[in-house]
Amino acid sequence: FALASEIAEEVIASMKYDKATLIYNKFKSAIAYDTLSETVDSPETMEDRLAQIGEKFEFDDEFTESLHLNDMMQFALAAKLYSRMLESATSETSARMQAMENA
């Protein structure tokens, strides 16, 4: 999760985009996987969505609210990245095992 967190932090801090696409392999079975793509919203869009959620909670001041929403946005992106990284690693391991059996 540490690598996914660092990637998410770097993406949010330095990249300017409207939408990004994650391309990954989703494990299907021991001999097959699907290559999928998933759209990731920009930090501004995620911030707006999280602000709507944040309206249900009460914060002491705007700085605290901004800090918590930013942390939540980074965590959400890191969790999505981590999930997709695990799916790809699972598919790769399965493909390697299958290749070794066929060798």
Side-chain angles (χ1 to χ4, degrees):
F1 191 76
L3 178 60
S5 297
E6 287 181 29
I7 293 170
E9 187 175 331
E10 188 71 27
V11 166
I12 289 173
S14 66
M15 304 272 186
K16 301 295 182 210
Y17 60 92
D18 293 331
K19 288 190 182 252
T21 303
L22 286 175
I23 299 173
Y24 64 98
N25 294 323
K26 181 168 177 64
F27 179 77
K28 193 173 182 181
S29 69
I31 59 172
Y33 59 88
D34 291 331
T35 301
L36 302 175
S37 64
E38 184 174 340
T39 304
V40 177
D41 293 328
S42 68
E44 292 82 16
T45 305
M46 284 194 290
E47 192 173 306
D48 291 343
R49 193 175 311 139
L50 289 173
Q52 291 174 353
I53 296 169
E55 290 175 358
K56 298 176 183 176
F57 303 100
E58 204 171 298
F59 294 97
D60 294 335
D61 56 17
E62 285 190 26
F63 175 76
T64 305
E65 180 179 4
S66 174
L67 184 66
H68 287 297
L69 290 178
N70 190 30
D71 288 346
M72 191 183 299
M73 179 176 57
Q74 285 182 1
F75 180 77
L77 181 58
K80 183 177 276 194
L81 286 170
Y82 184 64
S83 169
R84 301 318 177 242
M85 289 167 67
L86 286 178
E87 284 284 349
S88 292
T90 303
S91 297
E92 180 183 352
T93 302
S94 173
R96 286 177 186 240
M97 287 174 47
Q98 193 63 27
M100 292 301 290
E101 287 179 10
N102 293 335

